[in-house]
Amino acid sequence: MSVRTLPLLFLNLGGEMLYILDQRLRAQNIPGDKARKVLNDIIMTMFNRKFMEELFKPQELYSKKALRTIYDRLAHASIMRLNQASMDKLYDLMTMAFKYQVLLCPRPKDVLLVTFNHLDAIKGFIQDSPTILHQVDETFRQLTEVYGAISAGEFQLIRQTLLLFFQDLHIRVSIFLKDRVQNSNGRFVLPVSGPVPWGTEVPGLIRIRKPSDHPCLETVPRCHTLYFRMFNSKGEEVKKIEFKHGGNYVTAHKEGSFELYGDRVLKLGTNMYSVSRPVETHMSGASKNLASRTQESIAPNPLAKEELNFLARLMGGMEIKKPSGPEPGFRLNLFTTDEEEEHAALSRPEELSYEVINIQATQDQQQNEELARIMGELQITEQPRQSTTKGDDLLAMMDEL
């Protein structure tokens, strides 16, 4: 697994989260000033400098529950609130959208272009907030610095790490089903047409170089037919064989830009909710069967302390803004009606509903300096506690935020 995967995973999932929230804020006719505040607060929290510094440190990916906890906190960084069913649906849509984008990347390196597409769209949400725009641009520069010199092999390892993270997720999404890019079992349909990766040729052309006294074989693709052409030493065609193949590929006309501003060419990672249409999610039969085999235990496990320390570091850099003043909060529903939301909450398999982290770590009597620093940054005033486990301290801290 690559230790450089986490920033790309977080930023792309975060971009998808913002697309979905923007669409639902408009669908529910939330006043423009409130909608802008929600998106601004979430983006400001998401691109917090200290949080980004922690995020870009080389580290392995952790469980889906650990990451889900971060997005739960992000979604509630403003005056908007989501209940459990809507948060589950939000996370399902985020993960399936980015999984589809990773699967369709022509080259492993293109996952960086997908990330830039998300950042470009995020900047569109905050055009009137220069301070937050600066935060996003700083993250762009970090991405360029970290990933600009990475080899093709390392990008392939990053792509494999992402696909391993997503491999057991087969949630059906209405947009994908209607566009026929997803089957009824939740698996995606990969295309056999369109542009080939930049720097490669359309498949089907084979050149065999032989001495002048031997015939030369050449194959030329034409639409869905592959032509084999054999030439003699004088350059005269002596034989032609053709057969059908299933693809219809074209040459990429140019490479996407990796600069701060430029044409990304690749459309993966752009906002698929820009045209308003209802989006539903459904658990496929395969996912329901898988849930019974992949339930995460709430009993102590060897990775419990590491996951909690990971969350502690990230939470330490994330500044959560609490609603203040007379402005009231509001609830956002990711379903068409409250009844649909209630039904989704009741019908979702318990194993696939992310009740935000409930892990008990083993006893550790050492002084927890990391959590003390975090508590200070979050400006939480409390009475001194007896020495406890890192897990207990972190869970208590999360309850108080």
Side-chain angles (χ1 to χ4, degrees), residues 324-364:
S324 59
E327 187 170 15
F330 64 92
R331 184 174 72 87
L332 189 70
N333 188 349
L334 265 74
F335 297 82
T336 307
T337 64
D338 289 344
E339 290 73 17
E340 286 184 19
E341 187 178 43
E342 292 172 4
H343 175 73
L346 295 173
S347 60
R348 186 178 179 88
E350 184 179 352
E351 296 86 353
L352 294 176
S353 189
Y354 301 90
E355 291 289 344
V356 181
I357 288 219
N358 182 19
I359 300 176
Q360 295 295 325
T362 56
Q363 288 291 325
D364 183 358

Side-chain angles (χ1 to χ4, degrees), residues 19-84:
Y19 292 165
I20 298 162
L21 292 178
D22 173 64
Q23 190 270 340
R24 292 310 302 162
L25 288 166
R26 286 185 281 109
Q28 288 189 214
N29 297 317
I30 302 299
D33 57 339
K34 281 192 175 183
R36 283 190 296 273
K37 176 175 174 55
V38 168
L39 295 178
N40 282 5
D41 287 349
I42 292 175
I43 295 170
M44 184 167 59
T45 303
M46 179 177 170
F47 290 91
N48 173 272
R49 182 180 59 82
K50 292 181 181 178
F51 182 60
M52 285 292 120
E53 287 174 358
E54 290 290 341
L55 192 73
F56 274 85
K57 290 178 180 177
Q59 55 194 299
E60 291 187 358
L61 292 186
Y62 289 80
S63 73
K64 296 177 182 66
K65 278 195 173 183
L67 287 174
R68 160 63 192 266
T69 301
I70 301 297
Y71 291 110
D72 191 279
R73 303 300 303 280
L74 267 179
H76 295 93
S78 187
I79 57 175
M80 178 194 70
R81 294 294 174 262
L82 299 171
N83 70 14
Q84 183 71 27

Side-chain angles (χ1 to χ4, degrees), residues 113 116-121 123 137 140 254-267 270:
L113 289 177
F116 291 165
N117 274 336
H118 281 116
L119 293 188
D120 290 343
K123 289 195 288 187
D137 285 342
F140 187 100
K254 66 176 181 177
E255 185 180 23
S257 171
F258 290 88
E259 302 299 324
L260 180 60
Y261 301 102
D263 182 5
R264 312 299 177 198
V265 178
L266 194 69
K267 300 305 179 186
T270 55

Side-chain angles (χ1 to χ4, degrees), residues 296-307 359-362:
E296 296 192 45
S297 174
I298 61 172
N301 66 77
L303 291 177
K305 188 179 293 185
E306 278 206 53
E307 289 210 344
I359 300 176
Q360 295 295 325
T362 56

Side-chain angles (χ1 to χ4, degrees), residues 132-365:
I132 310 177
L133 270 172
H134 178 71
Q135 290 177 240
V136 179
D137 285 342
E138 281 299 311
T139 300
F140 187 100
R141 293 185 183 93
Q142 280 183 283
L143 285 167
T144 304
E145 181 180 338
V146 172
Y147 296 97
I150 282 183
S151 66
E154 180 65 19
F155 270 115
Q156 174 63 10
L157 187 58
I158 288 172
R159 184 174 184 271
Q160 289 176 341
T161 305
L162 288 169
L163 292 177
L164 281 172
F165 181 83
F166 291 126
Q167 70 175 357
D168 294 328
L169 295 174
H170 305 296
I171 299 163
R172 292 174 294 172
V173 178
S174 61
I175 284 182
F176 294 140
L177 291 169
K178 290 173 183 175
D179 291 344
R180 297 185 178 182
V181 297
Q182 189 180 33
N183 291 324
S184 59
N185 62 2
R187 297 182 183 275
F188 289 114
V189 179
L190 301 183
V192 290
S193 62
V196 296
W198 172 256
T200 63
E201 296 183 12
V202 173
L205 180 60
I206 303 172
R207 296 184 180 91
I208 300 178
R209 299 187 181 275
K210 293 188 176 183
S212 58
D213 58 339
H214 286 274
C216 176
L217 178 68
E218 181 186 51
T219 65
V220 182
R222 296 181 184 174
C223 297
H224 293 279
T225 305
L226 194 64
Y227 291 85
F228 286 80
R229 304 171 66 189
M230 185 173 287
F231 302 85
N232 61 20
S233 58
K234 297 179 181 179
E236 299 169 339
E237 183 177 317
V238 295
K239 191 175 183 181
K240 181 170 71 174
I241 304 172
E242 62 184 65
F243 67 89
K244 301 287 185 180
H245 68 88
N248 186 17
Y249 298 99
V250 295
T251 304
H253 65 283
K254 66 176 181 177
E255 185 180 23
S257 171
F258 290 88
E259 302 299 324
L260 180 60
Y261 301 102
D263 182 5
R264 312 299 177 198
V265 178
L266 194 69
K267 300 305 179 186
L268 297 172
T270 55
N271 190 352
M272 66 178 178
Y273 306 99
S274 55
V275 177
S276 183
R277 49 180 173 167
V279 185
E280 302 299 334
T281 57
H282 305 279
M283 305 304 300
S284 68
S287 292
K288 290 179 181 178
N289 293 334
L290 179 70
S292 62
R293 304 194 303 270
T294 59
Q295 182 176 9
E296 296 192 45
S297 174
I298 61 172
N301 66 77
L303 291 177
K305 188 179 293 185
E306 278 206 53
E307 289 210 344
L308 289 169
N309 287 339
F310 160 73
L311 286 175
R313 290 195 303 273
L314 293 185
M315 293 293 183
M318 185 184 290
E319 297 176 359
I320 303 296
K321 291 187 66 175
K322 296 183 179 180
S324 59
E327 187 170 15
F330 64 92
R331 184 174 72 87
L332 189 70
N333 188 349
L334 265 74
F335 297 82
T336 307
T337 64
D338 289 344
E339 290 73 17
E340 286 184 19
E341 187 178 43
E342 292 172 4
H343 175 73
L346 295 173
S347 60
R348 186 178 179 88
E350 184 179 352
E351 296 86 353
L352 294 176
S353 189
Y354 301 90
E355 291 289 344
V356 181
I357 288 219
N358 182 19
I359 300 176
Q360 295 295 325
T362 56
Q363 288 291 325
D364 183 358
Q365 298 299 322

Side-chain angles (χ1 to χ4, degrees), residues 370-380 382 385 393 397 400:
E370 178 73 4
L371 283 175
R373 178 185 66 80
I374 291 169
M375 301 283 276
E377 288 181 358
L378 290 171
Q379 297 180 342
I380 296 175
E382 60 176 28
R385 289 186 180 144
D393 277 351
M397 179 193 76
E400 291 170 358

